[in-house]
Amino acid sequence: MNYKNKKLEELNKKIDSLSTKKNNLKNNSKDMGAGFGFKISTEIIAALIVGVGIGLIVDNYFNTKPIGLIIFFIFGAFAGFLNVYRVMRRIEKQR
């Protein structure tokens, strides 16, 4: 009888440790979601800022006021979405 109680206590400890780990993983996934959203928005905004900056420099250098801004804004948007796509693929491979 004593042996059974000992095994039962060990099993309860294992179950408790696994449920604690499961709860920790749920909390981490919520934190990862917020971090993921921040990373995605940062990727897009940074690419747009760089594209607009380059467009303004090109416009000032060649004296073509809206053309360079428009073209490099579009390039920046494409670069931002390409970066987001790459991040999504990297996360998919990790799972």
Side-chain angles (χ1 to χ4, degrees):
M1 197 83 152
N2 201 7
Y3 176 74
K4 287 184 181 180
N5 287 338
K6 193 174 190 180
K7 284 291 191 182
L8 189 59
E9 285 178 25
E10 288 177 13
L11 183 60
N12 282 334
K13 286 180 184 178
K14 286 181 183 179
I15 290 172
D16 288 339
S17 70
L18 288 175
S19 64
T20 309
K21 287 181 184 178
K22 184 178 178 181
N23 288 336
N24 288 340
L25 286 176
K26 284 184 181 178
N27 291 338
N28 286 341
S29 67
K30 288 180 186 176
D31 294 339
M32 285 176 28
F36 177 71
F38 184 72
K39 181 177 180 72
I40 295 298
S41 62
T42 303
E43 292 281 346
I44 292 174
I45 291 171
L48 286 174
I49 289 173
V50 169
V52 167
I54 292 173
L56 290 173
I57 291 170
V58 166
D59 280 340
N60 286 336
Y61 187 73
F62 292 114
N63 200 16
T64 58
K65 283 293 179 205
I67 304 292
L69 179 66
I70 293 170
I71 290 172
F72 283 98
F73 176 82
I74 293 170
F75 284 158
F78 283 142
F81 287 116
L82 181 64
N83 289 339
V84 169
Y85 176 72
R86 288 177 182 164
V87 168
M88 295 293 287
R89 287 197 54 197
R90 193 174 344 147
I91 288 173
E92 261 184 29
K93 286 181 182 179
Q94 289 177 354
R95 290 182 183 200

Coordinates of all heavy atoms in Angstrom, one line a residue:
M1 N 0.8 -1.2 0.0 CA 0.0 0.0 0.0 C 0.9 1.3 0.0 O 0.5 2.2 -0.7 CB -0.9 -0.1 1.2 CG -2.0 0.9 1.2 SD -3.3 0.1 0.3 CE -4.7 0.9 1.0
N2 N 2.0 1.2 0.7 CA 2.9 2.4 0.8 C 3.5 2.7 -0.5 O 3.7 3.8 -0.9 CB 3.9 2.1 1.9 CG 4.5 3.3 2.4 OD1 4.1 4.4 2.1 ND2 5.6 3.2 3.2
Y3 N 3.8 1.6 -1.3 CA 4.4 1.8 -2.6 C 3.5 2.5 -3.5 O 3.9 3.4 -4.3 CB 4.8 0.4 -3.1 CG 5.4 0.4 -4.5 CD1 6.7 0.9 -4.8 CD2 4.6 0.0 -5.6 CE1 7.2 0.9 -6.0 CE2 5.1 0.0 -6.9 CZ 6.4 0.5 -7.1 OH 6.9 0.5 -8.4
K4 N 2.2 2.1 -3.5 CA 1.2 2.7 -4.3 C 1.0 4.2 -4.0 O 0.9 5.1 -4.9 CB -0.2 2.0 -4.2 CG -0.2 0.7 -4.8 CD -1.6 0.1 -4.7 CE -1.6 -1.3 -5.4 NZ -2.9 -1.9 -5.3
N5 N 1.0 4.6 -2.7 CA 0.9 6.0 -2.3 C 2.1 6.8 -2.8 O 2.0 7.9 -3.3 CB 0.8 6.1 -0.8 CG -0.6 5.6 -0.3 OD1 -1.5 5.6 -1.0 ND2 -0.6 5.3 1.0
K6 N 3.3 6.2 -2.8 CA 4.5 6.9 -3.2 C 4.4 7.1 -4.7 O 4.7 8.2 -5.2 CB 5.7 6.0 -2.9 CG 7.0 6.7 -3.0 CD 8.1 5.8 -2.5 CE 9.4 6.6 -2.3 NZ 10.5 5.8 -1.8
K7 N 4.0 6.1 -5.5 CA 3.9 6.3 -6.9 C 2.8 7.3 -7.3 O 3.0 8.1 -8.2 CB 3.5 4.9 -7.6 CG 4.6 4.0 -7.7 CD 5.6 4.5 -8.7 CE 6.6 3.5 -9.0 NZ 7.6 4.0 -10.0
L8 N 1.7 7.3 -6.5 CA 0.6 8.3 -6.8 C 1.1 9.7 -6.5 O 0.8 10.6 -7.3 CB -0.6 7.9 -5.9 CG -1.9 8.7 -6.2 CD1 -2.3 8.5 -7.6 CD2 -2.9 8.2 -5.2
E9 N 1.9 9.9 -5.4 CA 2.4 11.2 -5.1 C 3.4 11.7 -6.2 O 3.4 12.8 -6.6 CB 3.1 11.2 -3.8 CG 2.2 11.1 -2.6 CD 3.0 11.1 -1.3 OE1 4.1 11.5 -1.2 OE2 2.4 10.6 -0.3
E10 N 4.2 10.8 -6.7 CA 5.1 11.1 -7.8 C 4.3 11.5 -9.1 O 4.7 12.5 -9.7 CB 6.0 9.9 -8.1 CG 7.1 9.7 -7.1 CD 7.9 8.5 -7.4 OE1 7.9 7.9 -8.6 OE2 8.7 8.0 -6.5
L11 N 3.3 10.8 -9.4 CA 2.5 11.1 -10.5 C 1.8 12.5 -10.4 O 1.7 13.2 -11.3 CB 1.4 10.0 -10.7 CG 0.5 10.1 -11.9 CD1 1.3 10.1 -13.2 CD2 -0.5 9.0 -12.0
N12 N 1.3 12.8 -9.2 CA 0.7 14.1 -8.9 C 1.7 15.2 -9.1 O 1.4 16.3 -9.6 CB 0.1 14.1 -7.5 CG -1.3 13.4 -7.5 OD1 -2.0 13.3 -8.5 ND2 -1.6 12.9 -6.3
K13 N 2.9 15.0 -8.6 CA 4.0 16.0 -8.8 C 4.3 16.2 -10.3 O 4.4 17.4 -10.7 CB 5.2 15.6 -8.1 CG 5.1 15.7 -6.6 CD 6.4 15.3 -5.9 CE 6.3 15.3 -4.4 NZ 7.5 14.8 -3.7
K14 N 4.3 15.2 -11.1 CA 4.6 15.3 -12.5 C 3.4 16.1 -13.2 O 3.7 16.9 -14.0 CB 4.7 13.9 -13.2 CG 6.1 13.3 -12.9 CD 6.2 11.9 -13.6 CE 7.5 11.2 -13.2 NZ 7.6 9.9 -13.9
I15 N 2.2 15.7 -12.8 CA 1.1 16.4 -13.4 C 1.1 17.9 -13.0 O 0.8 18.8 -13.9 CB -0.3 15.8 -12.9 CG1 -0.4 14.4 -13.6 CG2 -1.5 16.6 -13.3 CD1 -1.5 13.6 -13.0
D16 N 1.4 18.2 -11.8 CA 1.5 19.6 -11.4 C 2.5 20.4 -12.1 O 2.3 21.5 -12.5 CB 1.7 19.7 -9.9 CG 0.5 19.3 -9.0 OD1 -0.6 19.4 -9.6 OD2 0.7 19.0 -7.8
S17 N 3.7 19.7 -12.3 CA 4.8 20.4 -13.0 C 4.4 20.7 -14.5 O 4.7 21.7 -15.0 CB 6.1 19.7 -12.9 OG 6.0 18.5 -13.6
L18 N 3.8 19.7 -15.1 CA 3.4 19.8 -16.5 C 2.3 20.9 -16.6 O 2.3 21.7 -17.6 CB 2.9 18.5 -17.1 CG 4.0 17.5 -17.3 CD1 3.3 16.2 -17.8 CD2 4.9 18.0 -18.3
S19 N 1.4 21.0 -15.7 CA 0.3 22.0 -15.8 C 0.9 23.4 -15.6 O 0.5 24.4 -16.2 CB -0.8 21.7 -14.8 OG -0.4 21.8 -13.5
T20 N 1.9 23.5 -14.7 CA 2.6 24.8 -14.5 C 3.3 25.2 -15.7 O 3.3 26.4 -16.1 CB 3.6 24.7 -13.3 OG1 2.9 24.1 -12.2 CG2 4.2 26.0 -12.9
K21 N 4.0 24.3 -16.4 CA 4.7 24.6 -17.6 C 3.7 25.0 -18.7 O 4.0 26.0 -19.5 CB 5.5 23.4 -18.1 CG 6.7 23.1 -17.3 CD 7.5 21.9 -17.9 CE 8.7 21.5 -17.1 NZ 9.3 20.3 -17.6
K22 N 2.6 24.4 -18.8 CA 1.6 24.7 -19.8 C 1.1 26.1 -19.5 O 0.9 26.9 -20.5 CB 0.4 23.7 -19.7 CG -0.6 23.9 -20.8 CD -1.7 22.9 -20.7 CE -2.8 23.1 -21.7 NZ -3.9 22.1 -21.6
N23 N 0.8 26.5 -18.3 CA 0.4 27.9 -18.0 C 1.4 28.9 -18.3 O 1.1 30.0 -18.8 CB 0.0 28.0 -16.5 CG -1.3 27.3 -16.2 OD1 -2.1 27.0 -17.0 ND2 -1.5 26.9 -14.9
N24 N 2.7 28.6 -18.1 CA 3.8 29.5 -18.4 C 3.9 29.7 -19.9 O 4.1 30.8 -20.4 CB 5.1 29.0 -17.9 CG 5.2 29.1 -16.4 OD1 4.5 29.9 -15.8 ND2 6.1 28.3 -15.8
L25 N 3.7 28.6 -20.7 CA 3.7 28.7 -22.2 C 2.5 29.6 -22.7 O 2.7 30.4 -23.6 CB 3.6 27.3 -22.8 CG 4.9 26.5 -22.7 CD1 4.6 25.1 -23.3 CD2 6.0 27.2 -23.4
K26 N 1.4 29.5 -22.0 CA 0.3 30.3 -22.5 C 0.6 31.8 -22.2 O 0.3 32.7 -23.0 CB -1.0 30.0 -21.7 CG -1.7 28.7 -22.2 CD -3.0 28.4 -21.5 CE -3.6 27.2 -22.0 NZ -4.9 26.9 -21.2
N27 N 1.2 32.1 -21.1 CA 1.5 33.5 -20.7 C 2.6 34.0 -21.7 O 2.6 35.1 -22.1 CB 2.0 33.6 -19.3 CG 0.9 33.4 -18.3 OD1 -0.3 33.6 -18.6 ND2 1.3 33.0 -17.1
N28 N 3.6 33.2 -22.0 CA 4.6 33.6 -23.0 C 4.0 33.8 -24.4 O 4.5 34.7 -25.1 CB 5.7 32.5 -23.1 CG 6.6 32.5 -21.8 OD1 6.6 33.5 -21.1 ND2 7.3 31.4 -21.6
S29 N 3.0 33.0 -24.8 CA 2.5 33.2 -26.1 C 1.7 34.5 -26.2 O 1.8 35.2 -27.2 CB 1.5 32.1 -26.5 OG 0.4 32.1 -25.6
K30 N 1.1 35.0 -25.1 CA 0.5 36.3 -25.1 C 1.5 37.4 -25.2 O 1.4 38.4 -26.0 CB -0.3 36.5 -23.8 CG -1.6 35.7 -23.8 CD -2.3 35.9 -22.5 CE -3.5 35.0 -22.4 NZ -4.2 35.2 -21.1
D31 N 2.7 37.3 -24.5 CA 3.7 38.2 -24.6 C 4.4 38.2 -26.0 O 4.7 39.2 -26.6 CB 4.8 38.0 -23.6 CG 4.3 38.2 -22.2 OD1 3.3 38.9 -22.0 OD2 4.9 37.6 -21.2
M32 N 4.5 37.0 -26.6 CA 5.1 36.9 -27.9 C 4.1 37.6 -29.0 O 4.6 38.1 -29.9 CB 5.3 35.5 -28.3 CG 6.5 34.9 -27.6 SD 6.8 33.1 -27.8 CE 6.1 32.7 -29.4
G33 N 2.8 37.5 -28.8 CA 1.9 38.1 -29.7 C 2.1 39.6 -29.7 O 2.1 40.2 -30.8
A34 N 2.2 40.2 -28.6 CA 2.4 41.7 -28.5 C 3.7 42.0 -29.1 O 3.8 43.0 -29.9 CB 2.3 42.2 -27.1
G35 N 4.8 41.3 -28.8 CA 6.1 41.5 -29.4 C 6.1 41.3 -30.9 O 6.7 42.1 -31.7
F36 N 5.3 40.3 -31.4 CA 5.2 40.1 -32.8 C 4.5 41.2 -33.5 O 5.0 41.7 -34.6 CB 4.4 38.8 -33.0 CG 4.2 38.4 -34.4 CD1 5.3 38.0 -35.2 CD2 3.0 38.5 -35.0 CE1 5.1 37.7 -36.6 CE2 2.8 38.2 -36.3 CZ 3.8 37.8 -37.1
G37 N 3.5 41.7 -32.9 CA 2.8 42.8 -33.5 C 3.6 44.1 -33.6 O 3.6 44.8 -34.6
F38 N 4.4 44.3 -32.5 CA 5.3 45.5 -32.5 C 6.4 45.3 -33.6 O 6.7 46.3 -34.3 CB 5.9 45.6 -31.1 CG 6.8 46.8 -31.0 CD1 6.2 48.1 -30.9 CD2 8.2 46.7 -30.9 CE1 7.1 49.2 -30.8 CE2 9.0 47.8 -30.8 CZ 8.4 49.0 -30.8
K39 N 6.9 44.1 -33.7 CA 7.9 43.8 -34.7 C 7.4 44.1 -36.1 O 8.1 44.7 -37.0 CB 8.5 42.4 -34.6 CG 9.6 42.1 -35.5 CD 10.1 40.7 -35.3 CE 11.2 40.3 -36.2 NZ 12.5 41.0 -36.0
I40 N 6.2 43.6 -36.4 CA 5.6 43.7 -37.7 C 5.4 45.2 -38.1 O 5.8 45.7 -39.2 CB 4.3 42.9 -37.8 CG1 4.6 41.4 -37.7 CG2 3.6 43.3 -39.1 CD1 5.4 40.9 -38.8
S41 N 4.8 45.9 -37.1 CA 4.6 47.4 -37.4 C 5.9 48.1 -37.5 O 6.0 49.0 -38.4 CB 3.7 48.0 -36.3 OG 4.4 47.9 -35.0
T42 N 6.9 47.8 -36.8 CA 8.2 48.4 -36.9 C 8.8 48.2 -38.2 O 9.4 49.1 -38.8 CB 9.1 47.9 -35.8 OG1 8.5 48.2 -34.5 CG2 10.5 48.7 -35.8
E43 N 8.7 46.9 -38.7 CA 9.3 46.6 -40.0 C 8.6 47.5 -41.1 O 9.3 48.0 -42.0 CB 9.0 45.1 -40.4 CG 9.8 44.2 -39.5 CD 11.2 44.0 -39.9 OE1 11.6 44.4 -41.1 OE2 12.0 43.4 -39.2
I44 N 7.3 47.6 -41.1 CA 6.6 48.3 -42.2 C 6.9 49.8 -42.0 O 7.3 50.5 -43.0 CB 5.1 48.1 -42.1 CG1 4.8 46.6 -42.5 CG2 4.3 49.0 -43.0 CD1 3.4 46.3 -42.3
I45 N 6.9 50.4 -40.8 CA 7.1 51.8 -40.7 C 8.5 52.2 -41.0 O 8.8 53.2 -41.7 CB 6.8 52.2 -39.2 CG1 5.2 52.1 -39.0 CG2 7.2 53.6 -38.9 CD1 4.8 52.3 -37.6
A46 N 9.5 51.4 -40.6 CA 10.9 51.6 -40.9 C 11.2 51.7 -42.4 O 11.8 52.5 -42.9 CB 11.8 50.6 -40.2
A47 N 10.6 50.7 -43.1 CA 10.8 50.6 -44.6 C 10.1 51.8 -45.2 O 10.7 52.4 -46.2 CB 10.2 49.3 -45.1
L48 N 9.0 52.3 -44.8 CA 8.3 53.4 -45.4 C 9.1 54.7 -45.1 O 9.3 55.6 -46.0 CB 6.9 53.6 -44.8 CG 5.9 52.6 -45.3 CD1 4.6 52.8 -44.6 CD2 5.7 52.8 -46.8
I49 N 9.7 54.8 -43.9 CA 10.5 56.0 -43.6 C 11.7 56.1 -44.4 O 12.1 57.1 -45.0 CB 10.8 56.0 -42.1 CG1 9.6 56.3 -41.2 CG2 11.9 57.0 -41.8 CD1 9.7 56.2 -39.8
V50 N 12.4 54.9 -44.6 CA 13.6 54.9 -45.4 C 13.2 55.2 -46.9 O 13.9 56.0 -47.6 CB 14.3 53.5 -45.3 CG1 15.4 53.4 -46.4 CG2 14.9 53.3 -44.0
G51 N 12.1 54.7 -47.4 CA 11.7 54.9 -48.8 C 11.4 56.4 -49.0 O 11.8 57.0 -50.0
V52 N 10.6 57.0 -48.0 CA 10.3 58.4 -48.2 C 11.6 59.3 -48.1 O 11.7 60.3 -48.8 CB 9.3 58.8 -47.1 CG1 9.1 60.3 -47.0 CG2 7.9 58.2 -47.4
G53 N 12.5 58.9 -47.2 CA 13.7 59.7 -47.0 C 14.5 59.6 -48.3 O 15.0 60.7 -48.8
I54 N 14.7 58.5 -48.9 CA 15.4 58.4 -50.2 C 14.7 59.1 -51.3 O 15.3 59.8 -52.1 CB 15.6 56.9 -50.5 CG1 16.6 56.2 -49.6 CG2 16.2 56.8 -52.0 CD1 16.7 54.7 -49.7
G55 N 13.4 59.0 -51.3 CA 12.6 59.8 -52.3 C 12.8 61.3 -52.2 O 12.9 62.0 -53.2
L56 N 12.8 61.8 -51.0 CA 13.0 63.2 -50.8 C 14.4 63.7 -51.2 O 14.6 64.7 -51.8 CB 12.8 63.6 -49.3 CG 11.3 63.6 -48.8 CD1 11.3 63.8 -47.3 CD2 10.5 64.6 -49.6
I57 N 15.4 62.8 -50.9 CA 16.8 63.1 -51.3 C 16.9 63.1 -52.8 O 17.5 64.0 -53.4 CB 17.8 62.1 -50.6 CG1 17.8 62.4 -49.1 CG2 19.2 62.2 -51.3 CD1 18.6 61.3 -48.4
V58 N 16.3 62.1 -53.5 CA 16.4 62.0 -54.9 C 15.7 63.3 -55.5 O 16.1 63.8 -56.5 CB 15.7 60.7 -55.4 CG1 15.5 60.7 -56.9 CG2 16.6 59.5 -55.1
D59 N 14.5 63.6 -55.0 CA 13.8 64.8 -55.5 C 14.6 66.1 -55.4 O 14.6 66.9 -56.3 CB 12.4 65.0 -54.8 CG 11.4 64.0 -55.3 OD1 11.5 63.5 -56.4 OD2 10.4 63.8 -54.6
N60 N 15.3 66.3 -54.2 CA 16.1 67.5 -54.1 C 17.3 67.5 -55.0 O 17.7 68.5 -55.5 CB 16.5 67.6 -52.6 CG 15.4 68.0 -51.7 OD1 14.4 68.7 -52.2 ND2 15.5 67.7 -50.4
Y61 N 17.9 66.3 -55.2 CA 19.1 66.2 -56.0 C 18.8 66.4 -57.5 O 19.5 67.1 -58.2 CB 19.8 64.9 -55.8 CG 21.1 64.8 -56.4 CD1 22.2 65.4 -55.9 CD2 21.3 64.0 -57.6 CE1 23.5 65.3 -56.5 CE2 22.5 63.9 -58.2 CZ 23.6 64.5 -57.6 OH 24.8 64.4 -58.3
F62 N 17.7 65.8 -58.0 CA 17.4 65.9 -59.4 C 16.3 66.9 -59.7 O 15.9 67.0 -60.9 CB 17.0 64.5 -59.9 CG 18.1 63.5 -59.9 CD1 18.0 62.4 -59.1 CD2 19.1 63.6 -60.8 CE1 19.1 61.4 -59.1 CE2 20.2 62.7 -60.9 CZ 20.1 61.6 -60.0
N63 N 15.8 67.5 -58.7 CA 14.7 68.5 -58.9 C 13.5 68.0 -59.6 O 13.0 68.6 -60.5 CB 15.3 69.8 -59.6 CG 14.4 71.0 -59.3 OD1 13.6 71.0 -58.4 ND2 14.6 72.0 -60.2
T64 N 13.1 66.8 -59.2 CA 11.8 66.2 -59.7 C 10.9 66.0 -58.5 O 10.8 64.9 -57.9 CB 12.2 64.9 -60.3 OG1 12.8 64.0 -59.3 CG2 13.0 65.0 -61.5
K65 N 10.2 67.0 -58.1 CA 9.6 67.1 -56.8 C 8.7 65.9 -56.4 O 9.0 65.1 -55.5 CB 8.8 68.4 -56.6 CG 9.7 69.5 -56.3 CD 10.3 69.4 -54.9 CE 11.2 70.5 -54.6 NZ 12.3 70.3 -53.7
P66 N 7.6 65.5 -57.0 CA 6.8 64.4 -56.4 C 7.2 63.1 -56.9 O 6.8 62.1 -56.3 CB 5.4 64.8 -56.8 CG 5.5 65.4 -58.1 CD 6.8 66.2 -58.0
I67 N 7.9 63.0 -58.1 CA 8.1 61.7 -58.7 C 9.0 60.8 -57.8 O 8.6 59.6 -57.6 CB 8.8 61.9 -60.1 CG1 8.0 62.8 -61.0 CG2 9.1 60.5 -60.8 CD1 6.7 62.2 -61.4
G68 N 10.1 61.2 -57.4 CA 11.0 60.4 -56.5 C 10.3 60.0 -55.2 O 10.5 58.8 -54.8
L69 N 9.6 60.9 -54.6 CA 8.9 60.5 -53.4 C 7.9 59.4 -53.6 O 7.8 58.5 -52.8 CB 8.2 61.8 -52.8 CG 7.4 61.6 -51.6 CD1 8.3 61.2 -50.4 CD2 6.6 62.9 -51.2
I70 N 7.1 59.6 -54.7 CA 6.1 58.6 -55.0 C 6.7 57.2 -55.3 O 6.3 56.2 -54.7 CB 5.2 59.0 -56.2 CG1 4.4 60.2 -55.7 CG2 4.3 57.9 -56.6 CD1 3.7 60.9 -56.9
I71 N 7.7 57.2 -56.1 CA 8.4 55.9 -56.5 C 9.0 55.3 -55.3 O 8.8 54.1 -55.1 CB 9.4 56.2 -57.6 CG1 8.7 56.5 -58.9 CG2 10.3 54.9 -57.8 CD1 9.6 57.0 -60.0
F72 N 9.8 56.0 -54.5 CA 10.4 55.4 -53.4 C 9.5 55.1 -52.2 O 9.8 54.2 -51.4 CB 11.6 56.2 -52.9 CG 12.8 56.0 -53.8 CD1 13.1 57.0 -54.8 CD2 13.6 54.9 -53.7 CE1 14.2 56.8 -55.7 CE2 14.7 54.7 -54.6 CZ 15.0 55.7 -55.6
F73 N 8.4 55.8 -52.1 CA 7.3 55.4 -51.1 C 6.8 54.0 -51.5 O 6.6 53.1 -50.6 CB 6.2 56.4 -51.1 CG 5.1 56.0 -50.2 CD1 5.2 56.3 -48.8 CD2 3.9 55.4 -50.7 CE1 4.2 55.9 -48.0 CE2 2.9 55.1 -49.8 CZ 3.0 55.3 -48.5
I74 N 6.5 53.8 -52.8 CA 6.0 52.5 -53.2 C 7.1 51.4 -53.0 O 6.8 50.3 -52.5 CB 5.6 52.5 -54.7 CG1 4.4 53.4 -54.8 CG2 5.3 51.2 -55.3 CD1 4.0 53.8 -56.3
F75 N 8.4 51.7 -53.3 CA 9.5 50.7 -53.0 C 9.5 50.4 -51.5 O 9.8 49.3 -51.1 CB 10.8 51.3 -53.5 CG 11.0 51.2 -55.0 CD1 11.9 52.0 -55.7 CD2 10.3 50.3 -55.8 CE1 12.1 51.9 -57.0 CE2 10.4 50.2 -57.2 CZ 11.4 51.0 -57.8
G76 N 9.4 51.5 -50.7 CA 9.4 51.3 -49.3 C 8.3 50.4 -48.8 O 8.5 49.5 -47.9
A77 N 7.1 50.6 -49.3 CA 6.0 49.8 -49.0 C 6.2 48.3 -49.3 O 6.0 47.4 -48.6 CB 4.7 50.3 -49.6
F78 N 6.7 48.1 -50.6 CA 7.0 46.7 -51.0 C 8.1 46.1 -50.1 O 8.0 44.9 -49.7 CB 7.5 46.7 -52.4 CG 6.4 46.8 -53.4 CD1 6.6 47.6 -54.6 CD2 5.2 46.2 -53.2 CE1 5.5 47.7 -55.5 CE2 4.1 46.3 -54.1 CZ 4.3 47.1 -55.3
A79 N 9.1 46.9 -49.8 CA 10.2 46.3 -48.9 C 9.6 46.0 -47.5 O 10.0 45.0 -46.9 CB 11.3 47.4 -48.8
G80 N 8.7 46.8 -47.0 CA 8.1 46.6 -45.7 C 7.3 45.3 -45.7 O 7.5 44.4 -44.8
F81 N 6.5 45.1 -46.7 CA 5.7 43.9 -46.8 C 6.6 42.7 -47.1 O 6.3 41.6 -46.6 CB 4.6 44.0 -47.8 CG 3.5 44.9 -47.3 CD1 3.2 46.1 -48.0 CD2 2.7 44.6 -46.2 CE1 2.2 47.0 -47.5 CE2 1.8 45.5 -45.8 CZ 1.5 46.7 -46.4
L82 N 7.6 42.8 -47.8 CA 8.6 41.7 -48.0 C 9.2 41.3 -46.7 O 9.4 40.1 -46.4 CB 9.6 42.1 -49.1 CG 10.6 41.0 -49.4 CD1 10.0 39.8 -50.1 CD2 11.7 41.6 -50.3
N83 N 9.6 42.3 -45.9 CA 10.2 42.0 -44.6 C 9.2 41.2 -43.7 O 9.5 40.3 -43.0 CB 10.7 43.2 -43.9 CG 11.9 43.8 -44.5 OD1 12.6 43.1 -45.2 ND2 12.2 45.1 -44.3
V84 N 7.9 41.7 -43.7 CA 6.9 41.0 -42.9 C 6.7 39.6 -43.4 O 6.6 38.6 -42.6 CB 5.6 41.8 -43.0 CG1 4.4 41.0 -42.5 CG2 5.7 43.1 -42.3
Y85 N 6.7 39.4 -44.7 CA 6.6 38.0 -45.3 C 7.8 37.1 -44.8 O 7.6 36.0 -44.4 CB 6.6 38.1 -46.8 CG 6.5 36.8 -47.5 CD1 5.4 36.0 -47.5 CD2 7.7 36.3 -48.2 CE1 5.4 34.8 -48.1 CE2 7.6 35.1 -48.8 CZ 6.5 34.3 -48.8 OH 6.5 33.1 -49.4
R86 N 9.0 37.7 -44.8 CA 10.1 36.9 -44.4 C 10.0 36.5 -42.9 O 10.4 35.4 -42.5 CB 11.4 37.7 -44.6 CG 11.8 37.8 -46.1 CD 13.0 38.6 -46.3 NE 13.3 38.7 -47.7 CZ 14.2 39.6 -48.2 NH1 14.7 40.5 -47.4 NH2 14.4 39.7 -49.5
V87 N 9.6 37.5 -42.1 CA 9.4 37.2 -40.7 C 8.4 36.1 -40.5 O 8.6 35.2 -39.6 CB 9.0 38.5 -39.9 CG1 8.6 38.2 -38.5 CG2 10.2 39.5 -39.9
M88 N 7.3 36.2 -41.2 CA 6.2 35.1 -41.1 C 6.7 33.8 -41.5 O 6.4 32.8 -40.8 CB 5.0 35.5 -41.9 CG 4.3 36.8 -41.5 SD 3.5 36.6 -39.9 CE 2.1 35.6 -40.4
R89 N 7.5 33.7 -42.5 CA 8.1 32.4 -42.9 C 9.0 31.8 -41.9 O 9.1 30.6 -41.7 CB 8.8 32.5 -44.3 CG 7.7 32.7 -45.4 CD 8.3 32.5 -46.8 NE 8.9 31.2 -46.8 CZ 9.8 30.8 -47.8 NH1 10.0 31.7 -48.8 NH2 10.3 29.6 -47.8
R90 N 9.9 32.7 -41.3 CA 10.8 32.3 -40.3 C 10.1 31.7 -39.1 O 10.5 30.7 -38.5 CB 11.7 33.5 -39.9 CG 12.9 33.0 -39.1 CD 13.9 34.2 -38.8 NE 13.6 35.3 -39.7 CZ 13.8 36.6 -39.3 NH1 14.3 36.9 -38.1 NH2 13.6 37.6 -40.2
I91 N 9.0 32.4 -38.7 CA 8.2 31.9 -37.6 C 7.5 30.6 -37.9 O 7.5 29.7 -37.0 CB 7.2 33.0 -37.1 CG1 7.9 34.2 -36.5 CG2 6.1 32.4 -36.2 CD1 7.1 35.3 -36.2
E92 N 7.0 30.4 -39.1 CA 6.4 29.2 -39.5 C 7.4 28.0 -39.4 O 7.1 26.9 -39.0 CB 5.9 29.3 -40.9 CG 4.4 29.6 -41.0 CD 3.9 29.6 -42.4 OE1 4.5 28.9 -43.3 OE2 3.0 30.3 -42.7
K93 N 8.6 28.3 -39.8 CA 9.7 27.2 -39.8 C 10.0 26.8 -38.4 O 10.4 25.7 -38.1 CB 10.9 27.7 -40.6 CG 10.7 27.7 -42.1 CD 12.0 28.1 -42.8 CE 11.8 28.2 -44.3 NZ 13.0 28.6 -45.0
Q94 N 9.9 27.8 -37.4 CA 10.2 27.5 -36.1 C 9.2 26.5 -35.4 O 9.5 25.8 -34.5 CB 10.4 28.7 -35.2 CG 11.6 29.5 -35.6 CD 11.7 30.8 -34.8 OE1 10.8 31.2 -34.1 NE2 12.8 31.5 -35.0
R95 N 8.0 26.6 -35.9 CA 6.9 25.8 -35.3 C 6.9 24.4 -35.8 O 7.2 23.7 -36.4 CB 5.6 26.4 -35.5 CG 5.4 27.7 -34.7 CD 4.1 28.3 -34.9 NE 4.1 29.6 -34.1 CZ 3.0 30.2 -33.8 NH1 1.9 29.7 -34.0 NH2 3.1 31.3 -33.1

